[in-house]
Amino acid sequence: MARRILVTGGAGFLGSHLCERLIEDGAEVICLDNFFTGRRENVDRLLGHRRFELMRHDVTEAMTLEVDEIYHLACPASPIHYQRNPVRTIRTGVVGTLNMLDVARESRARVLIASTSEVYGDPEVHPQREDYWGHVNPIGSRACYDESKRCAEAVAVSYARQYAVEVRIARIFNTYGPRLALDDGRVVSNFILQALRGEPPTVYGTGDQTRSFCYVSDLVEGLVRLMASGANAVPVNLGNPSECTMRELAEKVTALVGIEPRVRYEELPADDPRQRRPDIARARELLGWEPLVGLDEGLRATIDYFRGRLGAA
Ligand code: NAD
Ligand code: UDP
């Protein structure tokens, strides 16, 4: 019989790619979303599939469901969206995770929590390994997201210890690719949209801050392997260790789109992490996983997607 898998946040950027992958693997997929940042169009091509079901629900509301696995991704991920209603972000991150762990407990399902590199905050250790506890401002503008993800990890390991729920914790680093929303506000989609419109990318601060960008197909492969692994209640970094500054990213995007290499400098948001790069030794060892898609290749595919979206609009 096909595995029954619940994907929360399944109509979002990562969730929609994951749903597709799980359907390809032969699973029965229940995609749950409240469409806060996700779109029905992201799962359009799955809607007629007999093993796919789309369910409108908010994870902050308790529910019951019989499933074998849960990928819990529901949560706004872009700073502009998660800061728009910080209390709601915390409720989603904490209450939503408690609710999904209750579903897992009741149906004896294995659950994977989408955590984040934000648990490391503005890191003083570089690159970041899973045993680093992080440097997070608990009252800053990013706290609603960072602290609720940290709490979600604490909730997950507590369910593992207290109720023997099988939990997997993915610490996801910046991921990009097709289906990022046009109004997402994260750096890759902003730069590509601006470049395609012939505008200079908006670089915040000096642009010397770094991130490490992982292409979505690599990330999805990592999530699937992590779920199948024996890494119970052990956080695993998933990301691409190749690091670049935001200025370098802007230069790359303008070159690939073929516009003048100009940028516009804007104010740096508060508490913006200065550097970020995953140490993926644990993922290599436990999952046999590492990213395969380089930044140029991934950006080209993402640019093509945005071209199509702009053309359609
Ligand atoms: P996204 O905003 O595209 O997707 C999030 C999805 O969750 C959306 O479809 C949204 O409508 C849904 N959602 C939000 N609140 C909900 C609620 N209360 N109930 C039901 N659905 C709700 O973002 P994404 O990039 O796909 O991120 C998915 C997950 O991965 C998030 O948990 C995010 O924190 C995590 N993550 C992503 C990245 C990244 O770079 N993309 C990095 C680290 C962690
Ligand atoms: N950033 C930028 N221009 C933009 C959007 C973001 O320079 O138009 C910077 C932002 O200040 C941060 C980095 O890009 O240093 C990554 O930002 P994003 O919001 O994508 O993710 P996060 O900060 O959560 O890693």
Side-chain angles (χ1 to χ4, degrees):
M1 227 172 56
R3 280 173 308 152
R4 254 168 87 78
I5 303 182
L6 171 66
V7 179
T8 77
F13 160 57
L14 288 181
S16 61
H17 287 277
L18 178 62
C19 286
E20 260 172 25
R21 164 64 188 269
L22 296 172
I23 288 285
E24 272 166 29
D25 288 352
E28 197 179 305
V29 174
I30 303 164
C31 166
L32 179 155
D33 209 290
N34 71 348
F35 303 107
F36 180 56
T37 51
R39 306 161 64 236
R40 207 184 146 83
E41 289 76 3
N42 284 343
V43 289
D44 250 356
R45 72 182 77 173
L46 295 176
L47 284 176
H49 199 287
R50 66 189 161 79
R51 282 186 278 107
F52 182 80
E53 192 181 329
L54 179 60
M55 182 177 175
R56 180 188 279 269
H57 183 82
D58 192 309
V59 290
T60 61
E61 304 289 337
M63 62 185 280
T64 52
L65 202 64
E66 280 293 323
V67 286
D68 302 307
E69 290 176 5
I70 304 172
Y71 287 86
H72 176 42
L73 273 59
C75 183
S78 162
I80 57 165
H81 293 300
Y82 69 65
Q83 289 173 24
R84 200 162 75 209
N85 188 336
V87 173
R88 181 174 175 170
T89 299
I90 293 171
R91 194 165 281 132
T92 296
V94 179
V95 179
T97 301
L98 281 162
N99 284 338
M100 293 310 113
L101 278 151
D102 280 334
V103 173
R105 184 183 171 203
E106 282 157 21
S107 55
R108 297 181 186 279
R110 183 177 286 190
V111 59
L112 181 148
I113 305 289
S115 183
T116 167
S117 53
E118 292 284 330
V119 299
Y120 302 121
D122 187 8
E124 293 151 316
V125 169
H126 196 71
Q128 292 78 53
R129 278 169 34 143
E130 291 88 348
D131 56 9
Y132 175 50
W133 289 354
H135 180 227
V136 173
N137 175 359
I139 56 166
S141 50
R142 299 171 81 100
C144 59
Y145 182 73
D146 301 4
E147 294 291 17
S148 56
K149 288 289 186 177
R150 288 168 65 96
C151 183
E153 290 197 8
V155 169
V157 296
S158 300
Y159 270 69
R161 287 181 193 133
Q162 198 172 330
Y163 301 126
V165 174
E166 282 270 339
V167 303
R168 303 291 179 267
I169 300 171
R171 290 194 180 150
I172 303 170
F173 284 64
N174 298 63
T175 303
Y176 70 101
R179 300 210 194 110
L180 275 166
L182 293 184
D183 65 350
D184 183 83
R186 280 176 279 183
V187 68
V188 173
S189 46
N190 274 9
F191 283 4
I192 291 178
L193 270 178
Q194 289 159 342
L196 288 173
R197 289 175 173 145
E199 300 162 7
T202 50
V203 171
Y204 300 162
T206 59
D208 292 319
Q209 70 273 34
T210 68
R211 294 293 186 274
S212 305
F213 294 101
C214 184
Y215 190 65
V216 62
S217 55
D218 284 331
L219 201 281
V220 166
E221 180 65 33
L223 292 176
V224 169
R225 286 189 190 211
L226 176 56
M227 180 64 104
S229 77
N232 193 31
V234 174
V236 178
N237 287 341
L238 293 178
N240 191 321
S242 112
E243 183 182 5
C244 73
T245 69
M246 293 312 99
R247 252 205 334 264
E248 287 164 348
L249 179 70
E251 281 160 17
K252 225 177 228 315
V253 170
T254 50
L256 289 171
V257 171
I259 65 161
E260 231 188 293
R262 278 187 306 131
V263 299
R264 194 170 82 224
Y265 288 98
E266 292 192 357
E267 199 179 330
L268 186 70
D271 295 338
D272 200 280
R274 276 160 301 166
Q275 53 180 0
R276 199 180 278 153
R277 171 154 59 103
D279 178 319
I280 59 164
R282 186 175 284 177
R284 279 201 180 99
E285 188 195 324
L286 297 181
L287 319 179
W289 175 86
E290 65 183 356
L292 303 174
V293 181
L295 189 55
D296 280 43
E297 185 187 350
L299 284 175
R300 272 195 205 99
T302 314
I303 290 168
D304 283 348
Y305 169 79
F306 277 100
R307 255 202 201 103
R309 288 289 307 277
L310 286 180

